[in-house]
Amino acid sequence: MKNIVLLCAAGMSTSMLVRKMREAAEQKGFACQIEAYAISEAARVTPDADAILLGPQVRFNLKKIKEMCPDKIVECIDTRMYGLMQGDKVLEQVMDLLGE
Amino acid sequence: MALNKDRILEKTMNGVEKVSNNTYVQSVSRGMAMVLPLLMVGSLVLLLTKIPIAAWQNIVNNTSASTIFTMATQFTTNLLAVWAVFFIGNRLGNTFHYDGALVGIMCLLSFFLLTPMVESEGTKYISTEWLGAKGVFVAIIVALVIGRFYVLIMDHKLYIRMPDTVPAFVEKSFAAIIPFFFITVLSGVVAHLFSLTSFGSIHGFIYGVLQTPLQAIGSSLGGVIVAYIITNILWLLGVHGKALVFSVVLPMWSAATAENLAAAQAGLESPHIIDLGFTTIFMEIGGAGCVLALCLLMLFTAKSQQFKSLGKMFFIPTLCGISEPIHFGTPLVMNLKFALPFITAPIVSGVLGYVATLAGLVPRMVGTTVPTGTPQILNGFLIGGVRGMIMQIIVLVVCMAIYYPFFRAVDCQAYQEEQGAVDQAA
């Protein structure tokens, strides 16, 4: 089971996207755990993650998170997909990255 | 041109990264964020005492209920600086991978040492004068300096070490002795030196020389407008502007909020027109850029299918002040077509709110704050009462008028494209 972590400023808007992503994962039958956190919790929540996605509004932290997790998949969520809350498309992006 | 835009963006990103990842800025903003719930409880309790129902007012005024309510505010809002010094020190300690609780307590110890005591009838008291809003800047300075000082001591291993056979918790308690000693003595010396000056204490000095002028600038109309212009320009670049700008202005604005709350509780007129309640209901209706106005335009005036359906999708989150969907989905970020109304709408709306308060049309803010996610208009009612809510609706309509020509142009274009696509298909 893959563990996907989403990070944004307060974890609020991203939790909306998470719900959409979970629905999409269920439809696809892709077993995964998806959670949203505030970027300030990154140090605590990233060690167990397989893929880490940053909300576009905190993308200036990308370098820092990549340094924090050199062996993990760390990416920014596409701005437009994020705004339109396209959970299915974001999930497909993650699945590609994870090689699923 | 394109190259230029990328370079500007990259430079901004680098700057933003530097500031927001700065340990000290981070400690202050995260520590202050932890204090906000306490401020909210204080204002909520005050709100409870003011519910205009005769039977309830009877209970509040004639029973010990008022005593209980007063205590709740006294120990939340009026001890703002105490909570701030602990939480900021705590976050700083955590960042340096030391025991955050211990660092927080050391900062608190130093803060108490630096706060003058008063004596009355043979008993010594710590005056609450400096423990609330007036002590916030000292709290920040003490937390950063003492927190960093502790880290310095520990980094240089200036603590009592125990042989390996001693249990870890014993070693930990002994390890705290030397830093505690240095911090106590240092704070005592500083407190004594300040008591020899005409300021009387570090509080008198910092409050007079730093906090009062900074707060006057920071919570003036001009200061607030500048803060929101920067926030909204950052948002246009796609960066969470508020998270960044608030790390600077939150101490000043929460101090103003706490002072308003204390005044309201004492039955006095609020000293500040602008506090956190004001910025919530007038400067960010629906989120940065007062985007609820734009969302309503999409919902009610859009001709194109695209914006009609976007309006429906954005409505609930925007109403609750969660603006990322509309910011990124429209998109408003990196989109010059909406840049002008995005920056001007909050300024116009803030100025209108300010003038209406000055003119007495809207009651002065009383330090009320509401949790993020509270729907707009309802937050206007909770913070500003009926008149505050009506004013919020008025400025919302004005914001809609500001967005209208810009939205219409974009919507018409989308509509024509849709029609073109239909024609082609036919």
Side-chain angles (χ1 to χ4, degrees):
Chain A
M1 185 140 120
K2 296 290 184 188
N3 185 4
I4 302 165
V5 164
L6 279 76
L7 300 171
C8 76
M12 250 172 123
S13 54
T14 309
S15 61
M16 293 167 58
L17 183 66
V18 164
R19 212 176 54 227
K20 294 266 175 78
M21 286 174 72
R22 284 192 193 135
E23 282 166 17
E26 209 167 300
Q27 272 180 8
K28 286 184 206 292
F30 173 53
C32 60
Q33 195 187 347
I34 311 171
E35 289 292 342
Y37 298 98
I39 192 105
S40 54
E41 294 183 82
R44 186 173 68 80
V45 297
T46 51
D48 299 326
D50 295 298
I52 300 149
L53 299 177
L54 269 67
Q57 71 276 37
V58 294
R59 68 175 182 278
F60 54 89
N61 286 295
L62 186 66
K63 210 169 80 194
K64 189 180 103 179
I65 304 290
K66 275 191 169 165
E67 279 165 15
M68 201 188 271
C69 321
D71 312 323
K72 293 188 197 293
I73 295 165
V74 184
E75 273 304 327
C76 277
I77 302 168
D78 178 80
T79 306
R80 192 91 175 138
M81 286 182 198
Y82 187 87
L84 299 176
M85 295 284 150
Q86 292 165 328
D88 48 342
K89 291 197 180 159
V90 177
L91 187 76
E92 278 166 25
Q93 198 189 353
V94 187
M95 287 172 74
D96 277 347
L97 290 168
L98 286 167
E100 288 283 331
Chain B
M1 190 62 201
L3 189 80
N4 235 343
K5 200 167 105 184
D6 283 349
R7 262 188 59 194
I8 293 170
L9 187 65
E10 200 192 314
K11 278 208 167 141
T12 318
M13 285 292 171
N14 285 341
V16 167
E17 193 195 345
K18 261 192 204 125
V19 175
S20 79
N21 287 333
N22 177 287
T23 312
Y24 305 100
V25 173
Q26 244 177 22
S27 305
V28 174
S29 64
R30 288 183 191 163
M32 288 305 292
M34 290 305 298
V35 180
L36 280 186
L38 284 154
L39 204 58
M40 238 167 250
V41 171
S43 69
L44 211 71
V45 170
L46 188 73
L47 214 62
L48 280 177
T49 64
K50 307 268 164 174
I51 299 172
I53 300 170
W56 173 249
Q57 283 300 320
N58 232 338
I59 298 173
V60 171
N61 293 327
N62 302 324
T63 65
S64 42
S66 65
T67 320
I68 296 168
F69 286 136
T70 313
M71 268 172 68
T73 314
Q74 179 64 48
F75 285 91
T76 51
T77 316
N78 295 356
L79 293 188
L80 189 67
V82 174
W83 309 129
V85 75
F86 173 79
F87 279 118
I88 297 169
N90 173 271
R91 300 293 130 146
L92 187 77
N94 285 340
T95 312
F96 283 100
H97 304 290
Y98 286 111
D99 185 347
L102 189 63
V103 180
I105 292 293
M106 291 206 180
C107 297
L108 190 60
L109 168 77
S110 168
F111 181 80
F112 280 140
L113 274 159
L114 290 166
T115 305
M117 295 191 88
V118 287
E119 197 168 344
S120 165
E121 292 170 15
T123 314
K124 279 193 160 184
Y125 302 90
I126 297 181
S127 156
T128 52
E129 184 185 6
W130 302 111
L131 304 184
K134 285 173 83 177
V136 167
F137 274 54
V138 174
I140 294 172
I141 294 167
V142 167
L144 294 181
V145 172
I146 297 297
R148 189 65 187 82
F149 183 56
Y150 173 80
V151 171
L152 195 77
I153 295 174
M154 296 307 275
D155 281 350
H156 286 82
K157 304 205 184 307
L158 286 175
Y159 52 85
I160 300 173
R161 263 154 294 177
M162 292 276 150
D164 289 343
T165 49
V166 174
F169 72 92
V170 177
E171 180 170 11
K172 217 174 163 183
S173 99
F174 270 88
I177 292 175
I178 291 186
F180 261 125
F181 175 77
F182 277 129
I183 286 165
T184 311
V185 172
L186 179 76
S187 309
V189 169
V190 172
H192 180 69
L193 289 177
F194 271 103
S195 74
L196 301 176
T197 67
S198 60
F199 294 106
S201 71
I202 188 170
H203 286 284
F205 176 70
I206 298 290
Y207 184 73
V209 176
L210 199 65
Q211 182 166 351
T212 307
L214 273 183
Q215 211 175 309
I217 299 167
S219 22
S220 68
L221 183 62
V224 171
I225 286 175
V226 170
Y228 272 94
I229 290 176
I230 297 172
T231 305
N232 294 338
I233 287 176
L234 286 171
W235 261 122
L236 284 173
L237 294 170
V239 177
H240 199 295
K242 190 173 164 178
L244 197 74
V245 173
F246 263 50
S247 57
V248 178
V249 297
L250 194 56
M252 301 178 229
W253 294 359
S254 42
T257 309
E259 281 173 4
N260 274 358
L261 192 61
Q265 200 185 23
L268 303 169
E269 189 184 64
S270 308
H272 307 280
I273 290 182
I274 296 178
D275 66 5
L276 284 170
F278 183 94
T279 58
T280 305
I281 65 173
F282 291 127
M283 314 235 14
E284 41 185 271
I285 307 169
C290 291
V291 284
L292 182 59
L294 178 61
C295 184
L296 291 175
L297 286 176
M298 287 183 190
L299 211 53
F300 295 118
T301 72
K303 279 192 341 193
S304 66
Q305 280 308 315
Q306 184 195 341
F307 282 110
K308 269 184 197 160
S309 57
L310 283 179
K312 277 181 209 150
M313 206 185 104
F314 297 147
F315 181 64
I316 297 291
T318 311
L319 185 70
C320 296
I322 299 170
S323 52
E324 280 89 344
I326 195 168
H327 284 158
F328 291 111
T330 312
L332 299 174
V333 299
M334 304 306 277
N335 185 355
L336 284 177
K337 284 174 189 152
F338 286 111
L340 201 62
F342 191 81
I343 291 171
T344 48
I347 300 174
V348 172
S349 134
V351 170
L352 286 177
Y354 192 87
V355 171
T357 314
L358 272 186
L361 298 171
V362 177
R364 290 169 85 97
M365 296 291 133
V366 287
T368 314
T369 46
V370 291
T372 318
T374 308
Q376 315 302 304
I377 312 301
L378 176 65
N379 67 12
F381 173 69
L382 288 174
I383 292 171
V386 176
R387 284 190 290 166
M389 181 180 78
I390 293 171
M391 191 61 205
Q392 192 189 25
I393 295 172
I394 294 171
V395 297
L396 180 62
V397 173
V398 173
C399 289
M400 285 170 74
I402 295 173
Y403 270 106
Y404 185 71
F406 298 90
F407 174 67
R408 205 181 143 73
V410 175
D411 182 49
C412 277
Q413 200 185 350
Y415 180 70
Q416 274 161 12
E417 277 166 20
E418 278 172 13
Q419 291 306 309
V422 172
D423 288 346
Q424 267 177 7

